[in-house]
Amino acid sequence: MYKVKVYVTLRESVLDPQGKAVMHSLHKMGQSEVEDVRIGKYLELTLQKGDYDLDEKIVSMCSKLLSNPVIEDYRYEVEEVVAQ
Amino acid sequence: MKFAVIVFPGSNCDTDMYHAVKDELGSDVEYVWHDASDLSGFDGILLPGGFSYGDYLRSGAIAQFSNVMSEVVRAAKEGKPVLGVCNGFQILLETGLLPGAMRRNESLKFICQPEELVVMNDQTLFTSQYEKGEVISVPVAHGEGNYYCDEETLKLLKENDQIVFTYAKNPNGSVEDIAGITNQEGNVLGMMPHPERAVDELLGSKDGLKLFQSIVKSWRERYVAAT
């Protein structure tokens, strides 16, 4: 089995109003060192091993559904796990 | 002319849309469930607002892979009028029938109020009953209506006159005050404001009715006048 960890964030060029609101809140907390906050999503997929190209499959899932390439970027990590 | 109102799990403006078409416009209309696989009996497709699939992942993201959407794409390619309102607009963006994407409103607030819209293009099949520059009052109700597209896309939208409605006072941060756009062919319109909620003076405005009347007029000119 593979465990795939996918991180989706708004693209650098796209303003993140939620992140900005959280940053202001952190400043109010006294955390004045915080310069930027970007909020994203974290997804964990578990995949069966098989006769397929893993990267190709992940890229397809990420670009067609898990992220919207118009406003979002994604990156992922793969871990091999033993089926329980 | 017969309309389909597509109903997804979580749609909540389907009844308003049905009412606008049936009772105010006086056209044939049917509800069509999201797993339907044939839209050939319909002349116009309406994607209502709401929270399809609970807005999980992103607004409209899950709906793009529902059964009926491949038929909606087919209808759009055949040149049938397709109107997506609010969540319907978000679905059209996610499906790729319209360019761009929606972000959270700049204020992070859910905005629910009447908005003044400027008709930017009165040459589309959706807006022939309006005048260019006309200001109409149509309500909005959304948390993610902050339209975004890159510079290149924006240039194309302008060159092809695809920006159909803009906000007189931008409520959500949308690029270029965009409230509604069509595809390049002009037969697919997505808009955040709700014309189906502005079809009778009792509702505070009937400015949305002309949009539906425009669709019927265009269809009649194409199919009825010719026979």
Side-chain angles (χ1 to χ4, degrees), chain A residues 13-14 17-18 21 41 43 64-68 70-72, chain B residues 57-58 61 64-65 94 100-106 108 148:
Chain A
S13 56
V14 176
Q18 250 190 117
K41 297 183 189 113
L43 301 95
K64 287 185 190 148
L65 180 63
L66 304 183
S67 80
N68 180 339
V70 179
I71 46 169
E72 292 171 327
Chain B
L57 198 60
R58 292 180 308 280
Q64 67 175 311
F65 288 109
E94 284 286 342
M102 286 297 170
R103 299 167 295 183
R104 289 282 297 273
N105 292 342
E106 212 164 49
L108 295 178
Y148 173 84

Side-chain angles (χ1 to χ4, degrees), chain B residues 3 13 81 86 92 96 112 117 127 132 137-139 148 175 192 217:
Chain B
F3 288 93
C13 301
C86 201
L92 292 174
C112 188
L117 307 182
T127 52
K132 186 170 178 170
S137 174
V138 182
Y148 173 84
V175 163
M192 288 315 290
K217 179 169 180 281

Side-chain angles (χ1 to χ4, degrees), chain B:
Chain B
M1 178 172 191
K2 191 170 179 183
F3 288 93
V5 173
I6 310 292
V7 185
F8 299 95
S11 295
N12 67 7
C13 301
D14 40 337
T15 311
D16 300 41
M17 193 68 99
Y18 185 94
H19 162 76
V21 174
K22 185 89 178 171
D23 304 320
E24 304 292 343
L25 183 66
S27 264
D28 269 355
V29 58
E30 262 180 40
Y31 291 117
V32 175
W33 192 230
H34 65 101
D35 61 359
S37 51
D38 185 12
L39 290 175
S40 58
F42 297 96
D43 309 300
I45 314 296
L46 306 169
L47 301 175
F51 300 85
S52 59
Y53 301 91
D55 269 359
Y56 293 167
L57 198 60
R58 292 180 308 280
S59 313
I62 310 279
Q64 67 175 311
F65 288 109
S66 61
N67 250 355
V68 78
M69 279 317 291
S70 51
E71 290 307 302
V72 172
V73 171
R74 185 202 302 266
K77 302 286 177 219
E78 285 169 1
K80 289 182 185 175
V82 176
L83 169 67
V85 170
C86 201
N87 187 229
F89 186 9
Q90 294 163 339
I91 294 169
L92 292 174
L93 293 170
E94 284 286 342
T95 310
L97 283 172
L98 293 173
M102 286 297 170
R103 299 167 295 183
R104 289 282 297 273
N105 292 342
E106 212 164 49
S107 63
L108 295 178
K109 288 180 181 147
F110 189 96
I111 305 169
C112 188
Q113 62 197 32
E115 282 295 335
E116 291 197 331
L117 307 182
V118 185
V119 179
M120 300 300 285
N121 181 351
D122 61 0
Q123 301 296 309
T124 77
L125 73 88
F126 302 96
T127 52
S128 63
Q129 299 299 291
Y130 297 105
E131 307 263 326
K132 186 170 178 170
E134 190 177 338
V135 177
I136 60 175
S137 174
V138 182
V140 299
H142 59 247
E144 288 186 30
N146 182 350
Y147 179 79
Y148 173 84
C149 65
D150 60 27
E151 289 289 324
E152 203 179 322
T153 308
L154 184 62
K155 194 163 157 268
L156 286 172
L157 286 177
K158 285 180 176 170
E159 277 174 11
N160 298 323
D161 237 352
Q162 288 169 253
I163 303 172
V164 176
F165 297 111
T166 56
Y167 299 106
K169 269 169 52 189
N170 192 339
N172 52 27
S174 287
V175 163
E176 295 272 326
D177 307 328
I178 285 174
I181 56 168
T182 63
N183 60 345
Q184 208 169 337
E185 294 76 16
N187 68 309
V188 178
L189 171 67
M191 60 192 293
M192 288 315 290
H194 290 267
E196 80 283 5
R197 293 189 193 175
V199 289
D200 191 299
E201 291 298 352
L202 269 176
L203 298 169
S205 164
K206 56 188 286 188
D207 291 349
L209 190 54
K210 283 199 271 186
L211 190 148
F212 296 99
Q213 288 167 340
S214 300
I215 302 175
V216 171
K217 179 169 180 281
S218 143
W219 184 82
R220 287 209 176 119
E221 281 169 2
R222 203 166 153 189
Y223 296 104
V224 183
T227 55

